[in-house]
Amino acid sequence: MIEQRLDKDLYQRIFNMQITETQQQQNLQLLGAVGLILITYLFYKQSSLVNYKHLTTWCMVSTLVVALSAIINVQLNAKTYKLKAAFADLYLQINSFIFGLIFAFGQIIMGLRLIDVPTNTPLEPNFYVFYTIVVFAHVLGLISLTIRIRCFYLLVLTSMAPILTMQLSNWPSFSLNDPFYLINDIYILFMLFCGHHLYKTRDRLTWLVIRNDNLVEHAEHQRSITEQAYQQLEQEMLERRAVEWKLQQTNQRLEEKVRERTFDIQQINSSLERSKQSLEMAHQTAGIGSWDWDIKSRTIQTTNFDQILGYQNEEINDYSGNIRRLIHPEDFPKVKAAISTHLRNHSDRYESVYRIRHKKGYWVWVHDMGRVIQRDSKNQQPLRMVGIRRNINDEKVVAERLKLSASVFERAAEGIFILDSKLHYLDTNPRFEEIMGLPRDYFIGSHVFSYQHNGEKIQKQHAEILKALMQTGEFEGEIVERDAKGEELPLWIHINSIKNEDERITHYIGILSDLTQRKNDERRLSYLSNYDALTDLPNRNLFKTQLHQLMIGSHDKKEKFALIRLNIDRFRFLNDSLQNDGGDILLQQVAKRLLTLNGDSIMVARLGGDDFAIIYESNRFRNSDIKSQCKKIMHAFEQPFMVQDQELIVTLSIGIAMYPDHGRQVDSLSNHAEKALQEAKRLGGNTARFYTKDERVPASNRVNLENALRKALINDEFVVYYQPKINTATGKITSFEALVRWQHPEHGLVPPIQFIPLAEETSLISNIGEVVLKKTCQQIKAWLALGFHDIKISVNVVAQQIQRGNLIDEIDDILSTYQISPSSLELEITESSLMDDSEVASEVLQQLKARGITIALDDFGTGYSSLSYLGQYPIDVLKIDRSFVSKIGAHSHQEAIVRAILAMGHSLNMEVVAEGVETEAHANFLIHEGCDVLQGYLISKPLSSADATAFLQHSHSLDHFMTAART
């Protein structure tokens, strides 16, 4: 294609020419369109076959459109208003499209129906006349629009759109033998072909015209160049002849002058060479290099730079375009500013000290000086500058060292002093003055030991220092001086001698450190290592040391003593409830009261937290006296403490162990007192207990039991028994409680009382709890498969499971594994579990509640502050402890407590479960008082999985169990 052979500029030129010519041809098209519209109007205005109103409207609108187009075309062709070629092309396409629409609507008006044309229905005669007018319009398009073939295509296809639309929309009903439509299709194709062929012909002609114009233009240009070259050549030949004559004359004169000057130059060169050699020698000796900078040509001539920086002159010129690469980045701004200031003639000379990179890569300090010696006479721009560069690296290093030494001397954290060979002060630093408490002038010129002579001890120290300096030239050690106030000043001093090349001592340098803070810190650390920082009581470290020494002394003297361990009951709860440092304040007041009450004791110590210890000599006391003293302490603690404007009544749990009866070693005696303390806490606190041997469990048995528990977890020896619970309203079994048992391979079924306490101590309780949860959910899944859809199982959860932080994840994983609803699971929480960390417990319970798991508060009424938990935690079920239920019918006040619990639970919309129901009397009382659920041996003992399933399948009612109890 021609367009493919043209480059972009030529194609644009052809495009512009086509647009311009098409715009010019628009006048012919517009004139022809007006004529065709006028002919149509004159021909059809008297015809009865055409709606005159429609004809008139069409003619008026068409004429108006043509007139508007003519106005726009005139404006576009005017020199004062030119559109870009692309916009002009778009305008021509739109114009062609509108003209096509004019003739398309004319066909419709003249009788062509676009839809619902019956098969073989002939067109109206007036349409054939208008069709001829359309043909003339197409011929006008061939003449004026084929330069831009798109415009021609738009005119033809738009004007023939009605016939084509009618033909396509009624295609199945039209006969291919219909001559009009066949001729119409052939005509359209022929007209498009003619337009395309004419477009190609015009396109080639356009390209040939442009090519011819280019050739003519090129020929004219070449002719002009040739003529100019010829004229210039003639002029140059004339000038050359004149120059040659002048050169001959000048050459003769120069030859004469050269001969005259040659001798003078030789003499000058000899002198300059001698001066140059002398200058180079001086430069090399002083480490100086000279430079000559031709600013205009940007070249530098250097001497001796290879010695200073390692660069040859050519290498320096290579860097002249970017000197930044040689100068240290920190120094470049300063050097640039100095040079710029001098080049602008704002300073008499240029001078700068900076670092420059040696050829081997390290930095060299140089002192650079220079001056502009030549400037442009017109604008005073610098043309030439000369200068010298001196290597001051050694000087800089020495200066930096001196500066650093001075800085160290002035800012050192230690006192520094300088003495002459006779031990007289030459200089001291500020820290020395600060340590000694005297000004510098006080010391300068005086002897090192002349200012203090107080005390024989100090004089003896001075004599030892002098002796060491005379013998070895050095002394280092701790001394005690007196400061300006006369107070003792512990110091660490180090004095060294400085010798010259003859090994003679010229000076002494001393370093002085103030040990006052160190001594204070040592005393403080010694105190902190033995005393409690909060209460100032002896701490565990001093307690064990004193206890050990007391045991040694008592063993030799065969004496006895008592070790008392004390804990504050509910301290964790009290500490959580008090704000800020309220717990610390309470501990301080407890410590103070214990000291006041136990003035006769050997020691009152705080071992950590709320753990206190008291040691009493037992030679003056019998066991009953020790117990009386403990009661006295507990009685004194009935008086409230004032903490943060609150009255707090604190009780104590006390454990007592006797030496040597309960232990002859520190750890054993302390552990036995701890065991007695734990027993007192187990009994509810506010009591004192002596250690007894029957409380002691052999360590070997505990180890064996712990190992057996671990193996039981691995071998899956734990089984779950289920105790049914019955709903008093329906009389049916609605839930069970899961109870763990240990199926020991040798000892059979082991009850939980024998292994649960150790499991809680060794952290195995969490693993056992996870096993119970899995087996319980597995049982729920099995019962669901048997059709028991409304059965809920409750599982006990201990504090350790809550505090470890993974209980929620375990439950989610188990529920997901067995695909059971969370509503089928109930978790029983004891009050002690809630006391350990109330915030963590609250968060865990809220998450369980959000999952739809029921929360039950087990053993309600046996804890310390049960009522506070009812509003604090999302509890659904209250379980009345068996200790209350067992006394129903025997103690009226116990029955009142049960009634109160039931009333309170129901008022809080909680379900109330009574456990330990063993008699018909228990059941009748509870049912009468409105208890919701009963659990106990009256209904059933804990059952294995198979027995519990059979129990469910028999579906016994409450009446059945009541009748069975009577019989």
Side-chain angles (χ1 to χ4, degrees):
M1 296 297 291
I2 296 176
E3 291 180 357
Q4 295 175 345
R5 296 195 302 268
L6 299 177
D7 57 17
K8 185 177 180 181
D9 293 336
L10 185 57
Y11 176 79
Q12 186 64 36
R13 186 176 175 184
I14 292 173
F15 178 73
N16 292 339
M17 289 182 63
Q18 291 175 346
I19 295 301
T20 302
E21 188 173 350
T22 304
Q23 284 181 321
Q24 293 172 354
Q25 292 290 340
Q26 280 287 299
N27 296 330
L28 175 61
Q29 184 183 4
L30 294 173
L31 183 61
V34 171
L36 291 175
I37 293 170
L38 183 59
I39 291 171
T40 302
Y41 175 76
L42 295 175
F43 183 82
Y44 284 103
K45 69 176 182 176
Q46 301 297 332
S47 175
S48 60
L49 300 176
V50 177
N51 188 308
Y52 180 77
K53 183 178 181 180
H54 291 170
L55 175 64
T56 304
T57 302
W58 175 81
C59 290
M60 290 177 66
V61 172
S62 300
T63 304
L64 182 61
V65 170
V66 171
L68 181 61
S69 179
I71 294 171
I72 295 173
N73 197 52
V74 169
Q75 293 296 322
L76 292 178
N77 290 329
K79 293 183 178 181
T80 57
Y81 184 85
K82 286 290 185 179
L83 278 180
K84 290 184 178 179
F87 290 110
D89 183 43
L90 179 62
Y91 158 72
L92 292 174
Q93 293 181 36
I94 295 172
N95 202 30
S96 300
F97 176 73
I98 292 172
F99 285 165
L101 287 178
I102 290 173
F103 291 105
F105 281 109
Q107 292 179 38
I108 296 172
I109 293 171
M110 302 311 160
L112 180 61
R113 290 170 297 186
L114 300 181
I115 56 173
D116 299 330
V117 178
T119 306
N120 299 325
T121 300
L123 297 172
E124 297 177 4
N126 55 346
F127 174 79
Y128 290 100
V129 176
F130 187 80
Y131 190 90
T132 304
I133 292 174
V134 173
V135 170
F136 279 108
H138 291 169
V139 172
L140 283 174
L142 281 173
I143 297 171
S144 59
L145 296 178
T146 49
I147 300 174
R148 290 301 295 165
I149 191 64
R150 294 179 185 175
C151 298
F152 177 74
Y153 287 161
L154 282 171
L155 174 65
V156 172
L157 294 176
T158 306
S159 63
M160 299 303 291
I163 297 178
L164 292 175
T165 302
M166 183 176 68
Q167 187 175 353
L168 291 174
S169 61
N170 299 281
W171 180 257
S173 61
F174 281 99
S175 173
L176 294 177
N177 298 322
D178 190 337
F180 173 79
Y181 294 107
L182 182 60
I183 293 172
N184 179 73
D185 294 339
I186 293 173
Y187 164 76
I188 292 173
L189 293 174
F190 173 77
M191 189 59 66
L192 294 175
F193 171 78
C194 291
H196 181 73
H197 183 71
L198 188 57
Y199 161 73
K200 290 296 182 180
T201 302
R202 286 187 168 185
D203 191 55
R204 292 190 187 94
L205 288 174
T206 303
W207 185 82
L208 290 174
V209 169
I210 292 174
R211 184 177 181 185
N212 183 61
D213 291 343
N214 288 341
L215 290 173
V216 171
E217 201 174 351
H218 181 71
E220 289 292 333
H221 180 67
Q222 291 297 322
R223 186 179 64 81
S224 174
I225 292 174
T226 303
E227 289 178 354
Q228 291 178 2
Y230 178 78
Q231 293 174 1
Q232 185 177 359
L233 183 59
E234 286 184 344
Q235 182 66 29
E236 288 178 356
M237 290 178 66
L238 292 174
E239 292 175 355
R240 181 179 178 183
R241 293 191 186 99
V243 169
E244 286 177 353
W245 183 81
K246 290 181 180 179
L247 285 175
Q248 290 175 359
Q249 297 297 319
T250 304
N251 189 41
Q252 293 175 0
R253 290 194 297 271
L254 284 175
E255 286 178 356
E256 293 176 1
K257 291 182 179 180
V258 166
R259 285 191 294 269
E260 294 174 358
R261 298 288 183 184
T262 299
F263 180 75
D264 296 337
I265 293 173
Q266 289 174 350
Q267 296 298 321
I268 294 171
N269 285 340
S270 298
S271 177
L272 288 174
E273 185 63 28
R274 289 192 297 272
S275 299
K276 178 181 178 183
Q277 291 174 358
S278 300
L279 184 61
E280 288 179 352
M281 180 66 71
H283 282 183
Q284 290 177 0
T285 304
I288 297 175
S290 62
W291 48 270
D292 187 336
W293 181 20
D294 187 338
I295 299 174
K296 187 174 183 180
S297 63
R298 297 187 177 183
T299 58
I300 299 177
Q301 295 295 323
T302 62
T303 59
N304 205 32
F305 270 35
D306 56 341
Q307 180 186 358
I308 301 175
L309 301 173
Y311 298 103
Q312 299 297 325
N313 189 73
E314 294 78 8
E315 294 175 301
I316 290 294
N317 275 295
D318 292 340
Y319 282 105
S320 63
N322 189 5
I323 197 68
R324 181 192 291 266
R325 292 184 295 169
L326 285 179
I327 300 175
H328 196 283
E330 295 178 1
D331 300 334
F332 181 76
K334 174 181 65 177
V335 177
K336 181 180 178 182
I339 293 178
S340 299
T341 300
H342 182 61
L343 292 178
R344 293 170 183 161
N345 208 11
H346 294 164
S347 63
D348 182 59
R349 67 175 180 176
Y350 151 71
E351 183 173 2
S352 182
V353 175
Y354 58 92
R355 286 162 289 181
I356 191 167
R357 189 189 302 276
H358 194 276
K359 187 176 181 179
K360 293 183 179 179
Y362 58 86
W363 296 103
V364 177
W365 280 98
V366 295
H367 181 199
D368 215 8
M369 293 186 294
R371 178 176 293 169
V372 174
I373 61 172
Q374 184 180 356
R375 293 183 180 272
D376 191 304
S377 58
K378 296 180 180 179
N379 52 25
Q380 291 300 307
Q381 290 295 319
L383 300 177
R384 185 180 174 202
M385 183 176 178
V386 296
I388 59 172
R389 185 168 293 156
R390 184 166 64 91
N391 185 344
I392 61 168
N393 204 57
D394 293 339
E395 300 173 19
K396 199 70 175 178
V397 170
V398 172
E400 288 293 334
R401 287 178 179 173
L402 290 175
K403 183 179 179 181
L404 180 60
S405 299
S407 177
V408 170
F409 183 77
E410 292 294 326
R411 302 181 183 182
E414 310 295 340
I416 302 175
F417 57 93
I418 302 173
L419 309 174
D420 61 13
S421 59
K422 302 297 182 180
L423 298 179
H424 291 88
Y425 283 102
L426 296 178
D427 199 2
T428 62
N429 72 341
R431 178 57 179 161
F432 180 86
E433 302 172 36
E434 182 182 344
I435 292 173
M436 300 304 297
L438 293 169
R440 177 177 177 274
D441 295 340
Y442 182 87
F443 299 99
I444 302 304
S446 62
H447 192 271
V448 65
F449 299 130
S450 64
Y451 70 98
Q452 290 286 3
H453 297 286
N454 296 331
E456 182 180 349
K457 181 180 178 181
I458 295 177
Q459 290 182 4
K460 185 178 179 180
Q461 287 180 154
H462 292 172
E464 291 176 356
I465 295 173
L466 288 172
K467 182 179 178 180
L469 292 178
M470 294 302 104
Q471 291 178 351
T472 64
E474 181 181 5
F475 173 82
E476 183 175 13
E478 182 178 342
I479 65 172
V480 177
E481 291 285 357
R482 292 190 180 275
D483 59 15
K485 298 178 181 179
E487 298 177 357
E488 286 191 354
L489 180 64
L491 301 171
W492 185 269
I493 189 170
H494 187 188
I495 304 176
N496 271 327
S497 60
I498 305 298
K499 299 179 181 180
N500 61 12
E501 60 272 10
D502 298 328
E503 292 297 315
R504 293 180 58 187
I505 295 176
T506 60
H507 297 85
Y508 291 92
I509 294 181
I511 299 177
L512 202 67
S513 299
D514 186 358
L515 300 181
T516 303
Q517 185 62 40
R518 177 180 168 183
K519 294 294 183 181
N520 293 336
D521 291 342
E522 288 176 354
R523 287 192 291 269
R524 178 63 178 169
L525 287 173
S526 175
Y527 177 82
L528 292 177
S529 64
N530 291 292
Y531 288 89
D532 178 52
L534 180 64
T535 61
D536 290 328
L537 294 177
N539 62 10
R540 185 181 293 273
N541 181 47
L542 183 57
F543 166 76
K544 285 190 173 183
T545 302
Q546 294 281 17
L547 184 60
H548 178 68
Q549 293 174 354
L550 185 60
M551 284 181 171
I552 294 173
S554 299
H555 179 269
D556 295 338
K557 298 177 183 179
K558 297 183 179 180
E559 294 179 345
K560 296 183 178 182
F561 62 86
L563 173 60
I564 302 174
R565 294 283 299 275
L566 306 93
N567 277 182
I568 300 173
D569 295 332
R570 301 188 304 146
F571 176 72
R572 179 175 294 180
F573 172 77
L574 293 171
N575 189 42
D576 290 342
S577 63
L578 292 172
Q579 297 178 354
N580 300 327
D581 55 350
D584 293 343
I585 296 173
L586 176 61
L587 289 173
Q588 290 172 339
Q589 294 186 17
V590 168
K592 184 176 180 181
R593 188 171 293 185
L594 287 175
L595 275 175
T596 303
L597 295 170
N598 298 279
D600 295 335
S601 65
I602 298 175
M603 174 184 285
V604 177
R606 181 189 178 214
L607 307 185
D610 64 323
D611 193 3
F612 294 87
I614 305 173
I615 302 176
Y616 267 102
E617 288 186 69
S618 118
N619 287 341
R620 294 187 299 166
F621 298 97
R622 297 188 301 275
N623 283 7
S624 59
D625 295 331
I626 296 294
K627 193 165 187 179
S628 297
Q629 179 64 17
C630 292
K631 288 183 178 179
K632 178 182 176 183
I633 294 173
M634 289 187 290
H635 179 70
F637 271 70
E638 292 177 1
Q639 297 299 318
F641 292 91
M642 288 299 297
V643 179
Q644 295 176 342
D645 298 328
Q646 298 182 52
E647 283 192 359
L648 296 178
I649 297 178
V650 174
T651 60
L652 299 176
S653 294
I654 302 176
I656 309 163
M658 305 299 296
Y659 175 86
D661 300 339
H662 300 153
R664 296 176 180 270
Q665 296 179 350
V666 172
D667 290 340
S668 62
L669 185 64
S670 182
N671 288 340
H672 292 158
E674 172 70 19
K675 289 183 180 296
L677 171 64
Q678 294 302 322
E679 176 64 15
K681 294 173 72 172
R682 188 184 70 80
L683 294 174
N686 197 22
T687 187
R689 299 288 292 176
F690 277 89
Y691 173 75
T692 57
K693 290 185 178 180
D694 57 354
E695 294 175 4
R696 182 177 177 182
V697 177
S700 59
N701 291 349
R702 291 171 59 84
V703 173
N704 293 335
L705 182 58
E706 181 180 349
N707 291 335
L709 282 174
R710 296 186 185 278
K711 290 181 180 179
L713 283 168
I714 296 173
N715 299 331
D716 194 22
E717 295 175 5
F718 291 104
V719 296
V720 179
Y721 274 58
Y722 303 93
Q723 187 172 28
K725 293 185 282 187
I726 194 165
N727 188 290
T728 58
T730 62
K732 295 181 179 180
I733 302 299
T734 56
S735 58
F736 288 81
E737 180 178 3
L739 302 169
V740 66
R741 300 289 186 268
W742 182 4
Q743 188 68 49
H744 196 280
E746 297 178 2
H747 304 298
L749 202 63
V750 181
I753 191 63
Q754 297 185 19
F755 64 86
I756 288 298
L758 181 62
E760 291 180 345
E761 292 180 19
T762 57
S763 300
L764 292 174
I765 191 65
S766 294
N767 303 91
I768 296 173
E770 185 178 358
V771 170
V772 173
L773 274 171
K774 288 182 178 179
K775 290 182 178 291
T776 298
C777 292
Q778 186 179 6
Q779 186 62 57
I780 293 173
K781 182 73 173 179
W783 284 345
L784 287 172
L786 293 174
F788 300 108
H789 297 287
D790 299 325
I791 298 299
K792 181 181 295 186
I793 301 181
S794 59
V795 180
N796 290 282
V797 176
V798 297
Q800 190 181 114
Q801 289 176 273
I802 296 175
Q803 301 303 325
R804 288 182 67 171
N806 61 346
L807 178 62
I808 299 298
D809 293 336
E810 284 182 4
I811 292 175
D812 287 344
D813 184 57
I814 294 171
L815 292 175
S816 175
T817 301
Y818 294 103
Q819 295 294 308
I820 63 173
S821 172
S823 61
S824 301
L825 188 64
E826 180 178 293
L827 298 182
E828 294 188 6
I829 314 294
T830 62
E831 294 184 30
S832 60
S833 301
L834 302 179
M835 289 175 61
D836 288 337
D837 192 331
S838 58
E839 291 184 3
V840 172
S842 178
E843 183 180 353
V844 171
L845 295 185
Q846 291 293 348
Q847 294 185 48
L848 292 172
K849 183 70 173 178
R851 285 163 171 75
I853 298 173
T854 304
I855 308 298
L857 183 61
D858 198 11
D859 301 335
F860 182 76
T862 61
Y864 298 110
S865 304
S866 304
L867 297 180
S868 65
Y869 300 128
L870 300 181
Q872 185 176 354
Y873 300 104
I875 298 169
D876 303 296
V877 179
L878 288 182
K879 294 196 71 174
I880 304 175
D881 187 67
R882 66 179 67 251
S883 61
F884 297 114
V885 176
S886 63
K887 297 175 182 178
I888 291 176
H891 299 281
S892 59
H893 63 276
Q894 294 290 345
E895 294 177 359
I897 292 174
V898 172
R899 289 191 186 96
I901 294 173
L902 287 166
M904 182 170 50
H906 290 152
S907 65
L908 295 174
N909 294 322
M910 295 180 184
E911 182 180 82
V912 182
V913 178
E915 57 182 358
V917 180
E918 298 181 356
T919 66
E920 184 181 3
H922 293 165
N924 287 331
F925 176 83
L926 292 168
I927 294 171
H928 181 267
E929 297 299 331
C931 185
D932 302 300
V933 178
L934 304 181
Q935 176 185 350
Y937 275 76
L938 176 67
I939 294 108
S940 174
K941 66 179 181 179
L943 304 171
S944 65
S945 174
D947 292 340
T949 302
F951 187 87
L952 270 177
Q953 291 173 337
H954 284 85
S955 185
H956 295 301
S957 65
L958 179 59
D959 293 335
H960 168 78
F961 300 119
M962 301 282 279
T963 303
R966 286 194 295 272
T967 59

